[in-house]
């Protein structure tokens, strides 16, 4: 081999070596991502995930690496809208991405089965969104092991079983969104023990039953939605004049309590209590709510004159209809 040929070979070798060393993607992360792609049947939506390219070069669909600390570990994975042609489970290989902070799996009707135990390996996970899929089985208890969790969103899936009582042990949890599943049983008493950071609880459109735990009075929820369940009893514990409550949605349950005795947050902008067994008079404090935008107390057992003033007369008669003996504008005058 001539000297020129040797030089050319060395140049080529050095070029490949430089390319290999210049790749920012961590090899273990890359291997995990390619295995995830394989476990999902190599969908065309992930065609940008190639073994020959750098997973941190911003061309891999749904993959984001940590450039702030320059560790270049995969910290954000979005597997939404994959258009899978047949059913697949959530890949267990996701558990091999130990630096994930964000995991999103949305709008995948062909994602089925249980949430894999490997998710418990994601000890840095902060935000988990798995919604509009067909995952089933119960919400696993292992989520209580991931102490970094801030948000859990499992809305509109096919989850069953009861609510895991252990979630209240999570020190950084701000909110849970479990709407639109088939979760049954009672709300655990332990849910009154969430940290002071916990401000949002939405459990609508499930099969929850039983009474609201009195322990929930300790929570300062900005947003609560328990609508369209089979819950009963005294839900007044969710109210309070010293709370920062902005929206309370309890529609279509079997709640029964004296609405006239509840305290109202001055920040309340939405109140939907329709289709319950709530009784008493409307509290006069409703007229002082400057931010009230949505309001409905129809189909209950309320009585007395609708307080005049504030924004209450801006809502039409349907918001007050079908009560025991409510009267006054916008309903017919009291006699």
């Amino acid at each position: 081999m001539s000297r020129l040929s040797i030089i050319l070979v060395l140049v080529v070798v050095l070029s490949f070596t430089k390319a290999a060393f210049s790749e920012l993607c961590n090899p273990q992360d890359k291997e995990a991502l390619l295995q995830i792609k394989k476990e999902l049947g190599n969908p065309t939506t992930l065609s940008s995930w190639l073994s020959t390219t750098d997973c941190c070069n911003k061309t891999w669909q749904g993959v984001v690496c940590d450039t702030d600390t320059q560790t270049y570990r995969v910290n954000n994975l979005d597997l939404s809208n994959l258009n899978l042609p047949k059913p697949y489970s959530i890949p267990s290989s996701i558990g091999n991405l130990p630096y994930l902070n964000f995991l999103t799996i949305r709008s995948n009707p062909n994602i089925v089965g249980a949430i894999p135990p490997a998710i418990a390996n994601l000890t840095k996970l902060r935000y988990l969104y798995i919604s509009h899929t067909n995952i089933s089985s119960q919400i696993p208890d292992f989520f209580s092991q991931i102490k970094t969790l801030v948000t859990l969103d499992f809305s509109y899936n096919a989850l069953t079983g009861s609510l895991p009582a252990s979630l209240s042990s999570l020190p950084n949890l701000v909110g849970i969104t479990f709407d639109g599943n088939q979760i049954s049983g009672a709300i655990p008493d332990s849910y009154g023990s969430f940290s002071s950071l916990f401000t949002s609880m939405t459990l609508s459109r499930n099969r929850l039953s039983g009474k609201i735990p009195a322990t929930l009075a300790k929570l300062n929820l900005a947003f609560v939605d328990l609508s369209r369940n089979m819950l009963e009893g005294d839900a007044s514990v969710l109210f309070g004049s010293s709370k920062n409550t902005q929206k309370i949605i309890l529609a279509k349950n079997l709640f029964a309590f004296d609405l006239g005795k509840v305290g109202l947050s001055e920040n309340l902008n939405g109140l939907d209590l329709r289709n319950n067994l709530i009784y008493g008079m409307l509290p006069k404090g409703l007229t002082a709510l400057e931010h009230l935008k949505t309001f409905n107390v129809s189909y209950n057992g309320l009585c007395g004159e609708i307080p005049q003033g504030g924004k209450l007369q801006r809502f039409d008669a349907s918001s007050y209809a079908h009560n025991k003996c409510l009267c006054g504008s916008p309903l017919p005058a009291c006699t």
Side-chain angles (χ1 to χ4, degrees):
M1 182 180 290
S2 68
R3 186 176 179 181
L4 179 60
S5 298
I6 293 173
I7 292 172
L8 289 173
V9 170
L10 287 173
V11 168
V12 171
V13 170
L14 287 172
S15 297
F16 278 111
T17 303
K18 182 179 180 182
F21 280 107
S22 65
E23 184 168 320
L24 298 175
C25 184
N26 179 275
Q28 286 77 33
D29 288 355
K30 187 173 189 178
E31 181 182 358
L33 289 169
L34 292 173
Q35 182 62 28
I36 290 167
K37 179 182 177 182
K38 182 179 179 181
E39 290 179 42
L40 290 170
N42 297 305
T44 56
T45 44
L46 300 182
S47 60
S48 58
W49 293 19
L50 300 172
S51 61
T52 55
T53 60
D54 185 349
C55 76
C56 291
N57 67 1
K58 300 182 180 180
T59 62
W60 283 43
Q61 174 72 29
V63 177
V64 178
C65 298
D66 183 0
T67 57
D68 293 336
T69 63
Q70 296 187 339
T71 58
Y72 297 102
R73 300 303 298 261
V74 174
N75 67 353
N76 188 333
L77 179 62
D78 188 343
L79 296 174
S80 301
N81 298 292
L82 294 178
N83 298 315
L84 300 174
K86 64 178 184 178
Y88 290 93
S89 298
I90 295 174
S92 294
S93 295
I94 289 175
N96 296 328
L97 294 170
Y99 285 81
L100 273 188
N101 295 152
F102 299 80
L103 175 59
T104 305
I105 304 173
R106 282 178 170 156
S107 302
N108 288 301
N110 272 335
I111 292 284
V112 299
I115 299 172
I119 298 290
N121 297 333
L122 304 177
T123 57
K124 297 181 185 296
L125 193 64
R126 300 181 65 205
Y127 301 93
L128 177 58
Y129 305 95
I130 304 177
S131 65
H132 293 86
T133 76
N134 273 300
I135 59 166
S136 55
S137 192
Q138 187 167 338
I139 299 171
D141 270 316
F142 63 64
F143 284 111
S144 63
Q145 303 170 27
I146 309 176
K147 301 302 182 183
T148 51
L149 279 169
V150 173
T151 297
L152 281 175
D153 181 349
F154 297 141
S155 56
Y156 296 95
N157 297 295
L159 294 168
T160 59
S162 57
L163 293 167
S166 57
L167 290 182
S168 59
S169 67
L170 291 169
N172 299 300
L173 198 64
V174 169
I176 54 175
T177 304
F178 299 159
D179 308 277
N181 284 281
Q182 300 167 32
I183 302 169
S184 59
I187 297 174
D189 286 345
S190 63
Y191 279 25
S193 301
F194 281 110
S195 78
S196 59
L197 298 175
F198 190 78
T199 57
S200 178
M201 180 167 63
T202 69
L203 306 172
S204 70
R205 298 174 185 268
N206 278 287
R207 299 174 181 176
L208 297 172
S209 58
K211 295 183 178 180
I212 291 282
T215 56
L216 296 191
K218 295 183 287 185
L219 298 179
N220 187 5
L221 296 173
F223 182 55
V224 56
D225 185 353
L226 305 179
S227 62
R228 297 174 186 267
N229 282 286
M230 296 174 284
L231 294 163
E232 60 187 70
D234 187 0
S236 65
V237 295
L238 300 171
F239 294 79
S241 57
S242 63
K243 295 186 178 184
N244 188 38
T245 314
Q246 297 172 32
K247 188 168 289 187
I248 298 179
I249 305 175
L250 305 177
K252 299 191 175 181
N253 279 284
L254 298 168
F255 291 125
F257 59 93
D258 188 340
L259 185 59
K261 294 182 179 180
V262 303
L264 298 171
S265 164
E266 63 180 14
N267 297 313
L268 197 66
N269 62 55
L271 184 62
D272 187 351
L273 306 178
R274 60 198 156 97
N275 294 85
N276 277 285
L277 304 171
I278 299 168
Y279 54 89
M281 301 178 67
L282 290 176
K284 291 183 179 179
L286 287 168
T287 61
L289 300 181
E290 299 178 359
H291 307 290
L292 197 61
K293 295 179 180 177
T294 59
F295 181 79
N296 197 322
V297 294
S298 61
Y299 291 91
N300 279 288
L302 297 167
C303 267
E305 185 174 6
I306 296 171
Q308 301 299 299
K311 298 191 175 182
L312 290 185
Q313 277 63 54
R314 296 185 183 182
F315 303 103
D316 63 28
S318 65
S319 296
Y320 301 93
H322 302 284
N323 273 283
K324 185 178 180 180
C325 48
L326 272 185
C327 57
S329 177
L331 294 179
C334 299
T335 58

